[in-house]
Each structure stands twice: as structure tokens, then as C-alpha cells.
Amino acid sequence: MGALPTMTPVLIVGGGPAGLTLSLLLSRHGVPSLLVDKRTRPSTLPRARGIHARAMEIARSCGVEDALRAVELPITPGVRWHSVLSAPLARSERFSAAVDDDDVSPCEGLAVAQDVLEEQLHAHAAGRPTATVRQGVELTGLEVDPDRVVATVVETDGGREQRVEARYLVAADGVHSGVRSRLGIPMDGEPDLGARTWIAFRADLSPYVGRNPHGLYVLTGSSSVLLWTHPDDRWVLSGPVDPADPDGAHAADKVRTAIGDSRLPVEVLGHRVWTAAAQTARRLRSGPVFLVGDAAHRVPPAGATGVSTAMHDAHNLAWKLAAALDGRAGDSLLETYEAERLPVARRTAAEARAMWETFAGRPPAQPQRSMRQIDMGYRYVSAAITDDDPTAPDPDAPGSDYTPTARPGCRAPHLWLDARRRQSTLDLFGADLVLLSDTGAGWAEAARKISADPATPLRFHRVDAPGWAERYGVRAGGAVLVRPDGHIAWRRPHPYTDRSGAEAAALKTAIRTALCAAGAGADTSSGLPTA
């Protein structure tokens, strides 16, 4: 293994879904990064298995959607209840991580074991010319100054030590984050929702489940749940902890009991006891250090929100780091990462906990949001968002189902630009700020003048799609400003008709606000600052 770079704009610690997604997104923005992961390879034992539609939209923007589709499990959506798997079906319920509605998203959710997901993300991240991705490298020391970090890293095989200086460090090092611990950031919430036993095994269960198993099997006789994880007959059984069998010596027998087949050939691949938790870090930033993924929040597995939420973190942070590094934005924009993502993390953890309690037979204390709402219905509120109706009802209220809305702070709604070619409005976002309008040369000309400043990349797109104005909440000729992470920054519902320049000035102010740049908050006709 060659020497690592001694300096890098962004150092990413941890090679799970959050860290690898961040690496891919930074590469899309042209930002060099170094990712180090103390593991020499992803764990071959499965953990999470579900990726929801919004995370797949992010994968699409990174150019990895097709690769992930190629390795997805052909699961039949739904939950089935049996006393034992071999017994008759007691009841069933349709449930899926997929959207199953291309009027809402160009992407469906995906069923894939986390180890397979990480292999694909790693291969793509390591192939980007601006990224350095190294496994078998552990962070052992950290010095944090206001404007940089200096990390000490050690190769886990051989012990070679090196110091790396970075402008920013992103901790994606998991539930037991060493970076978070070094910074002294506590976790808030419930650390113990109950212990469970986890058994990974290989067995041919096709006589009971067919060739396309359902998403989840609840086996009431053993108080267990069963999940298919890999196409080569690998499964996970999660059930109560047996104090008499702490080491899993009788794991195969427990599998046979849960299946209801005493002669079933079972190969046990792994056994452990784990504790469910619903927690969020008290802070997501400490100077030049940011927390993402499991380092920032822990959720119980009910609803399979963990991996998707981690990818959402990376999506929010990547463009802000890029804007700060190239001088388009200052530190205030980076402050909005915590302001925007921490409330979402707390709300998602609370929803996952409610689902966990529901599976245990305890009804939630308040109405639950739908899975689609949890996935893509959250709204950011921060200094980077120009809200156009603060008195409007909360689109993310408890118990709500997802309704596409272009209210500032929300995910920009999907519409097909070309359904035959599968081109979506979401495919317009990712690199720069984008101004959308359906008619009128005024907005286009204003955008052209603003984008003439190389410090302010702004693209204009004329949307020629039926229903755009209605879905985006504007009249014909209105305009919407969308951030690189696909969230609405500003909306102007009426056409560009004012020849005094007020509309162009309002757009300039909206851009300054979206970047948290100097001068935001008042309409002026002056040029945009570069920082």
C-alpha cells in the first residue's frame, strides 16, 4: 500500500454507506477527498437490507443506481405471519421500501444486504480520480483547530503511521464512533430498547417461501423475525436472547425450531447479541468536524431507515463542503448542516422507535408518519432557506402521508421531463443551484447574468412538463430555485414582469441566502459576493 496524501480538503473516517456516499458526491463536485476505513473489507455478514426511494435518488445522482439494481434481491413486498415458517399463513400485510409510484419518484426502493451495497459503493468511489479510498487504515489520533484537523492514521496491517492534514473531517465511523468520543459529543435518547439475538445462517427455505421470498416473516412461536439477505440461501433470524446459550452453541437448533423443520440442514454463519437503540448525537458539528450516519444517529431496524438516513446526511453536507472550499459560501452555510439534519435525525429515530414498539405489540403514543413521508417528506428549516409562507401548515406533521410539495425546504417534486427516456426533474440537480421556470425570457436572462460570475454557478432550465406549475405551487411563469441536494431554496409564484429589476434582485438575494453569503436578507441590484 502506497503512502497516503499528507494533505486533503476533506478527510472521511469510515467506509460504510454514509462515508462512501459522501466520497462519491464530493467527487461529483470535483472536491478531492481521502477516505480511510479501519476494516480491510466490508463485513460478509449482513446488517441492514433496505434502501428507500430517496436514497436511491441519491444513488442515481452519483451514477450508481444501475449497479445497485443489478445486485438487488427479487423480494416480494410484504410481511407474513406464521407460528413457525412451515405452518399455514396466519396473516399478511403489504409493505415495501419501494415507492411503486413513478408519479412520486423515478426510483424504487431496493432490497440489498449492506455488505453488497458497500462493495458496490466502494468500487465506484475508489474509481473516481479525485478520491483516495483506503481500507485497513485506522485513525488513532486527532488534533482539531478552528480551521483544520491533523489526524494520525495507522495501517492495521504493518503498523505504518502517518499524519494527514485536512480542512474538514467527516466522521462516518459508525455507532461506536471514535471521532465522536474524542470530541466528547454525547448521545441523547434511549440507548436500550431491548437486546435481541441475531443468527446469520444458510439454508434452503424455498419449500416454505418459494423462489422470491417476502420482505419479512414474523414467526410468533419463537417471537422471531426472519429476513432473506443473499441469493445463495443466506438468511438472518432475530429473536429473544437465551441466557442459557450466550455463545450461540445451539443456534442451528433455534433456526430449526423457528422454521418448524427438525431435519433442516443449517449452516450457521454468525451469532451475536445486539441492543436496539433510538439516539441522536447532541451536536453534528464541532469546528471543522462533522458527524454523519450511525456516528450521528442510531435507529432500531424497524422500517429499515438507517442506511437511507445516512445517505441523506451525506447528500446535505457534500455540496456545502464544496461551496465552502471553492469560496462560494462561508462558514455560515456549514452551520446549516446541523440545523437541517439534526431535527430530521431526531424525528426519524422517534418514528423508527414507534415502529419497533408496534412490532412488540405496544401502540405508539402519537400517529405515525407513513414510510414514504419518513423517507422524503421532511422539510429543512435554516438560514439557507427562504420560506414563502411561514403560517402554512407543516407538511411533515406527525401522522402525515407524503404529498409532493415545493414549499421551500422540501424535496423538489419529481416530474417526468421525458418519460420514455426516464428523465426526471430530479436529474437536473446535483452540481449547481438550478432555477426552474416554465415560460418567460425574464427569469432566463436574470439567471444568465448572475451565472456570468464564475463564483456563482447557476443554471436555468425551462420546464416543459404538464402539471409543473401546479406541483411546484407557482403560476405560469413563476420560478423556483433548487439547491444541489434537490431541496427547494426559494420560490417566486408569479411571472417575471417587473422591469425595474426587483425580480432579478430578489433572485440574487435568494442565492445569497441559499449560500449564507454576505448581504443576504435585502433585495439589491448589486452583484453577488464571492464568499
Side-chain angles (χ1 to χ4, degrees):
M1 181 184 293
L4 299 174
T6 57
M7 299 185 70
T8 183
V10 182
L11 173 62
I12 305 167
V13 180
L20 291 168
T21 301
L22 182 65
S23 176
L24 284 163
L25 289 166
L26 288 174
S27 290
R28 183 174 185 186
H29 288 289
V31 175
S33 66
L34 167 63
L35 184 152
V36 296
D37 187 351
K38 66 181 179 182
R39 302 172 301 169
T40 56
R41 63 181 61 86
S43 170
T44 58
L45 298 176
R47 286 171 284 169
R49 195 205 56 186
I51 308 174
H52 293 289
R54 181 58 177 151
M56 287 304 296
E57 292 172 358
I58 298 169
R60 179 187 181 97
S61 74
C62 294
V64 299
E65 182 188 13
D66 291 345
L68 294 180
R69 290 287 169 209
V71 296
E72 72 176 313
L73 289 170
I75 281 177
T76 301
V79 183
R80 294 168 72 88
W81 279 260
H82 302 257
S83 57
V84 296
L85 188 64
S86 59
L89 177 68
R91 70 184 180 98
S92 64
E93 180 179 326
R94 180 174 173 79
F95 172 81
S96 173
V99 165
D100 291 332
D101 182 356
D102 69 1
D103 187 51
V104 172
S105 175
C107 302
E108 292 185 354
L110 184 80
V112 63
Q114 187 170 329
D115 58 310
V116 178
L117 169 67
E118 289 183 11
E119 288 173 359
Q120 292 296 322
L121 295 180
H122 180 275
H124 284 267
R128 301 296 197 264
T130 53
T132 302
V133 180
R134 293 289 177 84
Q135 294 178 313
V137 178
E138 182 176 6
L139 183 141
T140 59
L142 182 62
E143 303 168 22
V144 180
D145 295 327
D147 59 354
R148 68 165 192 165
V149 299
V150 178
T152 301
V153 297
V154 176
E155 293 180 9
T156 56
D157 181 13
R160 182 167 57 175
E161 183 177 279
Q162 184 175 327
R163 286 166 64 86
V164 177
E165 180 179 336
R167 177 64 186 89
Y168 300 107
L169 183 147
V170 179
D173 51 343
V175 169
H176 305 293
S177 170
V179 174
R180 187 187 66 226
S181 178
R182 291 173 186 274
L183 296 174
I185 299 176
M187 298 290 284
D188 296 325
E190 180 53 64
D192 186 353
L193 296 176
R196 302 279 288 178
T197 296
W198 176 93
I199 302 170
F201 67 96
R202 180 181 280 113
D204 180 8
L205 302 184
S206 59
Y208 311 114
V209 301
R211 299 315 307 173
N212 298 103
H214 281 73
L216 184 70
Y217 296 87
V218 180
L219 307 179
T220 57
S222 57
S223 299
S224 302
V225 294
L226 179 70
L227 299 94
W228 184 38
T229 62
H230 295 77
D232 57 349
D233 294 327
R234 279 186 275 172
W235 295 78
V236 162
L237 181 74
S238 180
V241 174
D242 182 357
D245 187 26
D247 300 322
H250 302 291
D253 291 334
K254 289 182 172 60
V255 171
R256 295 186 185 99
T257 297
I259 304 303
D261 184 347
S262 62
R263 298 183 178 181
L264 179 71
V266 175
E267 178 189 1
V268 175
L269 304 172
H271 170 277
R272 65 183 176 91
V273 175
W274 60 279
T275 301
Q279 292 184 294
T280 55
R282 190 166 298 171
R283 292 179 287 125
L284 301 187
R285 183 187 185 189
S286 180
V289 181
F290 301 84
L291 307 182
V292 297
D294 287 351
H297 36 72
R298 298 177 62 187
V299 295
T305 61
V307 169
S308 295
T309 305
M311 294 174 70
H312 299 181
D313 292 341
H315 200 210
N316 183 285
L317 181 59
W319 77 273
K320 296 175 180 178
L321 290 172
L325 285 164
D326 70 10
R328 284 180 292 138
D331 190 72
S332 295
L333 180 62
L334 296 176
E335 285 292 320
T336 69
Y337 169 68
E338 178 177 304
E340 294 179 353
R341 288 303 302 167
L342 187 54
V344 176
R346 289 170 175 161
R347 157 263 207 192
T348 303
E351 291 286 351
R353 176 176 180 172
M355 284 185 275
W356 180 259
E357 297 289 343
T358 300
F359 267 108
R362 296 182 290 270
Q366 65 178 3
Q368 290 180 251
R369 295 170 175 88
S370 70
M371 183 53 65
R372 186 181 297 181
Q373 178 67 24
I374 294 170
D375 181 40
M376 59 180 62
Y378 52 86
R379 175 174 172 261
Y380 292 147
V381 178
S382 75
I385 302 295
T386 304
D387 195 6
D388 55 6
D389 190 359
T391 63
D394 181 5
D396 190 33
S400 56
D401 192 9
Y402 180 67
T403 299
T405 174
R407 182 175 174 185
C410 293
R411 161 191 173 269
H414 152 73
L415 278 171
W416 289 116
L417 300 174
D418 188 331
R420 184 178 61 84
R421 296 183 179 180
R422 307 293 291 179
Q423 294 177 343
S424 166
T425 49
L426 274 58
D427 298 326
L428 302 173
F429 317 134
D432 304 318
L433 293 168
V434 177
L435 185 70
L436 303 178
S437 185
D438 57 352
T439 60
W443 290 120
E445 179 62 15
R448 186 191 67 78
K449 290 180 178 178
I450 290 172
S451 63
D453 181 351
T456 314
L458 174 69
R459 292 186 296 112
F460 174 81
H461 187 89
R462 182 178 178 273
V463 182
D464 183 17
W468 178 81
E470 293 80 6
R471 179 156 288 192
Y472 275 71
V474 298
R475 298 195 295 273
V480 177
L481 182 66
V482 186
R483 308 186 326 182
D485 63 353
H487 281 255
I488 305 294
W490 170 86
R491 181 171 59 175
R492 201 72 157 186
H494 54 259
Y496 190 100
T497 57
D498 185 0
R499 297 181 180 179
S500 68
E503 299 290 1
L507 175 59
K508 290 179 181 180
T509 297
I511 293 171
R512 284 195 288 273
T513 298
L515 296 173
C516 292
D523 285 356
T524 70
S525 58
S526 61
L528 284 162
T530 60

